[in-house]
Amino acid sequence: MSSGMPQTEVNAIVACTISRDVQNFDLLIEDMEAVMGESWGDLGFNEALAFFNQSEAEALEFVALALDSGDEDNLPLMGTIITEAKTRNIKVILIAEDVTPAALHNLLRQGADEFIPYPLPEGELQAAIERLRLAEAERTAEPQHVLKTGSQRDGAVIVCHGLAGGSGSTTLAVNLAWELAQLSTSETPRVCLLDFDLQYGSVATYLDLPRREVVMEMLSDTENLDEDVFGQALVTYEDKLQVLTAPVDMIPLEFITPEDIERVVTLARSHFDFVVIDMPHTLVQWSETILNMAHVYFSMVELDMRSAQNALRLKRALQSEDLPFEKLRFALNRAPKFTDLSGKSRVKRMAESLGISIDLQLPDGGKQVAQSSDHGNPLASSAAKNPLRKEILKLAQSLHDLGQSDAAAA
């Protein structure tokens, strides 16, 4: 250990900076002193690995791994430090200056919990530490859904993908998942809702659920994904529905690989009868994975030019790659009323011009839909007689009945 590590027993060392030379990060020193007082020390890269094996390391709450452009040649060593810290349940905060995005991406995927650019924004170190402590409190205090090891269910995957902003994919995903959960007679939840809109996901908002830090931890290390890890990441809504919210912070969509997504969905399918997925609007590298795993893939459109153009672009993209375009079920949100003959004619012309079939038409639910979402309630709870809710209930009933008949046939 370097001389920067206090040797007194008066103050237990609960945090450490780890760097090539901490004097290169003078603002970090100031912030650590302000936040941690005398309860922190400093280690070099190689010293850190040796210290992790000592009994004193058991008291560590977190380490701040500080690096700059001169450390990029030592990324394997940085990764080893992060891995060793995580195996000992020590949180890792990355402090980086002039480091390439690829290097940061690599280190975050290896398990770093937080990233702060250097020079540190005012108060950001304190905020990062509080987020880590909150996540740990959630992990230990909140009841988690216990998933039975070795479960071999074969749940149906239902995907909701909006082809334009505001087309209602999250509204459909949330309310369809809740209606399916309500139809279940099992005492344990049989429906799981996955929010894969990793940047702007609103499922947590629509159900007034907390976003959990552990979600990011799970997605960062799916190779070690098991029932316990997945159960910790889920939150329960009204004891009937299990939800994987989007991460607390925005992350690049390419941060998650197709293999990550396949592991999560496969595990969810093995434990739930229905897995409902809310997708980002854009196509990503794992969109093909979801499409191939989906049993029903709802593509949400509206009766406007942008939806028509985006539907045509999607059709061309899938067909050019020989992907299963036929899996898509186009759903028209805010569809014209039965008596609106002009609107019905427009729907027919739109479908014919695009060469698609519009399989589901959802009525306009009006202001009640936005109000329900803002208050964190499904339509079934806040506006049971809403025409949109009634149509989603019919859809849920048909999917539930189909699932029951398939189970009976099996």
Side-chain angles (χ1 to χ4, degrees):
M1 294 173 58
S2 72
S3 58
M5 175 67 74
Q7 301 298 313
T8 176
E9 296 182 358
V10 176
N11 295 74
I13 301 303
V14 298
C16 283
T17 57
I18 302 175
S19 63
R20 185 177 71 255
D21 184 355
V22 74
Q23 297 304 320
N24 294 334
F25 300 91
D26 53 337
L27 295 179
L28 175 58
I29 296 175
E30 294 178 8
D31 281 9
M32 288 292 288
E33 290 177 347
V35 176
M36 305 304 299
E38 297 182 359
S39 300
W40 70 282
D42 169 54
L43 296 167
F45 293 137
N46 291 316
E47 292 172 321
L49 293 176
F51 181 65
F52 286 156
N53 293 317
Q54 298 178 17
S55 60
E56 292 86 345
E58 296 178 2
L60 281 183
E61 179 183 350
F62 72 91
V63 294
L65 180 59
L67 62 155
D68 57 26
S69 57
D71 297 312
E72 290 204 39
D73 292 337
N74 288 324
L75 287 183
L77 177 58
M78 309 292 139
T80 301
I81 291 172
I82 293 172
T83 300
E84 291 296 316
K86 299 300 291 184
T87 59
R88 293 162 173 78
N89 198 30
I90 301 170
K91 303 296 184 182
V92 180
I93 301 176
L94 276 183
I95 312 291
E97 180 180 22
D98 297 330
V99 177
T100 63
L104 288 175
H105 178 82
N106 188 348
L107 295 176
L108 286 168
R109 283 196 60 81
Q110 293 189 63
D113 299 281
E114 290 277 347
F115 161 66
I116 306 175
Y118 188 88
L120 295 94
E122 185 175 355
E124 186 58 29
L125 180 63
Q126 174 73 57
I129 294 171
E130 290 177 354
R131 287 194 295 269
L132 294 179
R133 288 171 175 169
L134 178 61
E136 187 63 24
E138 287 178 346
R139 185 198 302 275
T140 56
E142 283 192 11
Q144 69 180 72
H145 181 55
V146 179
L147 301 179
K148 183 185 296 185
T149 302
S151 176
Q152 296 298 318
R153 306 188 77 84
D154 190 23
V157 178
I158 303 170
V159 181
C160 299
H161 179 188
L163 300 193
S167 56
S169 61
T170 302
T171 297
L172 177 61
V174 168
N175 285 279
L176 179 59
W178 179 241
E179 298 292 355
L180 288 169
Q182 291 284 76
L183 290 171
S184 174
T185 57
S186 172
E187 293 183 1
T188 58
R190 288 293 179 228
V191 182
C192 183
L193 174 58
L194 308 178
D195 190 350
F196 281 165
D197 189 352
L198 304 177
Q199 294 184 330
Y200 296 103
S202 300
V203 167
T205 302
Y206 283 25
L207 292 174
D208 193 25
L209 294 172
R211 298 173 187 261
R212 307 193 63 191
E213 296 281 355
V214 71
V215 173
M216 183 62 186
E217 296 178 22
M218 181 199 77
L219 294 175
S220 300
D221 187 23
T222 62
E223 291 184 359
N224 294 313
L225 182 64
D226 58 19
E227 284 84 358
D228 290 339
V229 174
F230 190 47
Q232 289 174 1
L234 296 174
V235 289
T236 307
Y237 181 77
E238 298 290 340
D239 296 326
K240 295 285 288 183
L241 174 65
Q242 290 298 317
V243 182
L244 181 73
T245 69
V248 174
D249 298 316
M250 293 177 62
I251 62 173
L253 293 174
E254 64 272 15
F255 182 82
I256 308 301
T257 67
E259 293 76 19
D260 294 328
I261 291 296
E262 184 174 5
R263 293 183 188 111
V264 173
V265 176
T266 299
L267 184 58
R269 286 191 63 199
S270 69
H271 289 275
F272 297 94
D273 294 328
F274 295 97
V275 179
V276 182
I277 301 174
D278 188 25
M279 291 286 283
H281 296 304
T282 186
L283 291 180
V284 291
Q285 60 177 335
W286 39 267
S287 295
E288 179 180 351
T289 304
I290 294 293
L291 180 59
N292 287 326
M293 298 185 77
H295 294 86
V296 183
Y297 195 110
F298 290 115
S299 297
M300 302 290 295
V301 297
E302 292 189 81
L303 196 57
D304 55 23
M305 185 59 69
R306 63 181 187 142
S307 291
Q309 290 176 338
N310 291 345
L312 186 58
R313 292 189 184 103
L314 179 62
K315 178 181 178 181
R316 289 173 176 169
L318 297 185
Q319 291 180 337
S320 67
E321 298 293 332
D322 291 327
L323 296 176
F325 174 75
E326 65 278 1
K327 275 194 174 185
L328 269 58
R329 296 292 178 263
F330 285 92
L332 178 64
N333 196 18
R334 302 179 182 90
K337 296 180 180 179
F338 180 75
T339 55
D340 184 358
L341 299 182
S342 174
K344 291 289 186 182
S345 177
R346 288 178 60 202
V347 173
K348 182 179 179 181
R349 290 199 304 271
M350 177 180 176
E352 291 175 348
S353 65
L354 296 175
I356 63 173
S357 173
I358 296 180
D359 304 293
L360 178 65
Q361 296 192 32
L362 300 172
D364 188 350
K367 293 181 179 179
Q368 286 182 326
V369 177
Q371 292 171 349
S372 176
S373 300
D374 287 345
H375 288 90
N377 293 314
L379 286 168
S381 302
S382 61
K385 296 183 179 180
N386 185 279
L388 176 60
R389 186 264 166 165
K390 292 181 179 179
E391 200 63 33
I392 294 177
L393 176 59
K394 291 180 184 177
L395 175 61
Q397 186 67 63
S398 65
L399 291 171
H400 182 267
D401 292 345
L402 181 61
Q404 293 288 88
S405 62
D406 288 347

